Amino acid sequence: MYRLITVSMLVLAIAIGGYTQTKRLATNSSSSPSYGKAQAERGKTVYSSTKRIVSNATEQLNSLGISQAYYTESQAERGKAYFYAACGVCHTADPKSQNGTMDTATGLGWHRGPVNSYGLFVGDAWLASASGVPGRPQRWDTVADLYNKVRTTQPAYDVAGLSTQEYLDIVAYLLKQNGLPSGKEDLKNDLNQMRNMTLDKGFERLFNGKDLTGWGFVVGPNCKPAPEGCGGTTPGTTFKIKDGTVLNTGSPHGYTYPQKKFWNFTLRLQYRFEPYEGMESDDDLFTNTGYLLFITKHDVWPRTLEVQGINDFEMSLAMGGNESTYTFDDAARIRARKPAGQWNSVEIVSKDGQLWTT
């Protein structure tokens, strides 16, 4: 029996083989600065007198027809008022503003000995700096990373003291200031959706968190796609959307693929195997999945180079392995693997006929 796999596709995917699987992301205790809730309340007053912005702009779509927008202009405008009321003493998101080391006489920044530090929350130096966390390439890899940081540590005088909507609006403002495009829908309090919102500007989303726009299907064991064969070309019962993730039931066998071909690419995603009732350890997990690359003719199963996703053999080569020269580090795989029920991060890099997997 193949088990359920959930996937969160953050960026560039090629083909995901079908078996059951789920695929889809410290409190600041420093001394309080000289401002408080009254200032945040003034920020609300600023917003209440601000004219609401309505945008009729066309949403930016990527090459798969998926929106690259995560917030609306009116939400970002609300967030600007909340940001400067609740966070503006210590931080700025205006690249033209003075920032960095400040004289204490300015009253700006958090106190560090003889000077204050006034942080700039905009630009690659802030948004794309290294995270130091395995599986998270940059500091704020997704909107979920940024949202969780803001809502659990800010503002310093009243950590986690704002409303959920105020935190969402503040993040929307930070997204706007960092060059992410606006769209037709507000940013919502949905972490699975936020994990599908990449902040790496070199990448595009392959999954919108809502439906399978931009994806094709071949479903049915030992089948070519219709009309040539018996294979289904719709998700059927094999692929479903649940809570902002792609659910792969594995029944019947099949795969889904983006309706665009890639040669040189970097694919990042997260997946997890769902444990089943009575399962005592991952030794009981006899599931199977994979990432099917460079398919030229669809079939179940096609001629392909498969990066293995099966439990215990992740990131090795399966189909196509006999035609390739490769090495792998089994000890690194054991260290990196997380058990069923927990999210695992995958990165596959293809460049000029060579492949790297982590």
Side-chain angles (χ1 to χ4, degrees):
M1 181 177 180
Y2 295 106
R3 298 313 311 159
L4 196 64
I5 305 174
T6 325
V7 168
S8 173
M9 286 170 286
L10 303 181
V11 282
L12 193 59
I14 302 305
I16 298 176
Y19 295 93
T20 313
Q21 186 188 37
T22 313
K23 300 188 180 179
R24 325 181 278 334
L25 192 157
T27 299
N28 187 339
S29 58
S30 60
S31 58
S32 298
S34 57
Y35 63 107
K37 289 186 177 181
Q39 190 172 15
E41 290 301 321
R42 291 199 298 274
K44 295 179 184 178
T45 302
V46 170
Y47 163 61
S48 66
S49 62
T50 300
K51 184 177 181 180
R52 188 173 182 83
I53 295 176
V54 178
S55 175
N56 295 318
T58 302
E59 246 177 356
Q60 293 187 25
L61 304 180
N62 66 13
S63 58
L64 289 174
I66 296 172
S67 173
Q68 296 296 91
Y70 307 148
Y71 66 94
T72 63
E73 284 291 329
S74 58
Q75 185 177 29
E77 190 67 16
R78 296 195 304 267
K80 179 178 181 180
Y82 293 140
F83 177 84
Y84 285 105
C87 310
V89 169
C90 291
H91 311 290
T92 181
D94 180 358
K96 298 179 181 179
S97 170
Q98 184 180 0
N99 60 82
T101 301
M102 307 284 282
D103 190 294
T104 56
T106 64
L108 295 175
W110 60 95
H111 189 61
R112 291 189 176 183
V115 298
N116 287 359
S117 295
Y118 193 49
L120 179 63
F121 280 12
V122 67
D124 289 344
W126 175 74
L127 185 67
S129 59
S131 71
V133 178
R136 186 187 298 167
Q138 61 182 35
R139 188 180 188 183
W140 315 120
D141 194 42
T142 70
V143 173
D145 302 326
L146 177 57
Y147 175 65
N148 283 334
K149 167 65 176 179
V150 171
R151 70 171 178 154
T152 60
T153 66
Q154 302 299 317
Y157 68 89
D158 187 21
V159 170
L162 304 182
S163 71
T164 296
Q165 190 60 57
E166 288 166 340
Y167 283 120
L168 290 168
D169 293 350
I170 286 172
V171 170
Y173 171 63
L174 294 176
L175 295 177
K176 177 180 179 178
Q177 291 302 99
N178 281 277
L180 280 300
S182 62
K184 299 177 181 178
E185 295 185 16
D186 277 2
L187 180 67
K188 297 179 177 61
N189 184 32
D190 185 333
L191 284 175
N192 279 341
Q193 285 280 9
M194 291 184 197
R195 291 186 179 103
N196 284 302
M197 297 175 176
T198 178
L199 293 180
D200 190 325
K201 295 180 181 179
F203 288 76
E204 61 180 324
R205 292 201 295 173
L206 295 189
F207 174 51
N208 63 16
K210 302 174 184 178
D211 55 44
L212 289 164
T213 295
W215 287 80
F217 306 88
V218 185
V219 176
N222 302 317
C223 287
K224 297 182 185 299
E228 182 181 356
C230 60
T233 55
T234 64
T237 60
T238 304
F239 297 97
K240 303 176 181 179
I241 304 300
K242 182 180 179 181
D243 299 330
T245 62
V246 179
L247 205 62
N248 179 358
T249 68
S251 180
H253 290 181
Y255 60 89
T256 181
Y257 60 93
Q259 294 178 326
K260 175 187 174 182
K261 293 183 179 180
F262 302 93
W263 174 243
N264 290 329
F265 64 85
T266 296
L267 159 67
R268 292 176 187 159
L269 60 88
Q270 291 180 311
Y271 78 90
R272 69 180 178 190
F273 291 105
E274 298 282 359
Y276 56 87
E277 186 177 356
M279 178 179 160
E280 294 185 353
S281 73
D282 277 18
D283 293 335
D284 294 337
L285 189 62
F286 298 99
T287 189
N288 199 354
T289 189
Y291 312 98
L292 312 182
L293 309 181
F294 314 123
I295 296 172
T296 57
K297 186 174 178 59
H298 290 298
D299 193 354
V300 179
W301 296 101
R303 185 171 184 267
T304 181
L305 179 65
E306 179 185 6
V307 176
Q308 186 62 271
I310 188 172
N311 188 50
D312 290 335
F313 295 95
E314 300 91 338
M315 300 297 101
S316 60
L317 293 184
M319 292 185 287
N322 293 335
E323 304 171 46
S324 309
T325 301
Y326 63 94
T327 61
F328 64 89
D329 186 339
D330 195 48
R333 175 167 50 207
I334 293 171
R335 290 194 303 270
R337 180 192 301 124
K338 295 180 181 178
Q342 295 186 28
W343 290 101
N344 288 268
S345 296
V346 169
E347 180 171 278
I348 299 172
V349 179
S350 172
K351 185 175 182 180
D352 300 333
Q354 297 187 64
L355 204 68
W356 293 265
T357 64
T358 54

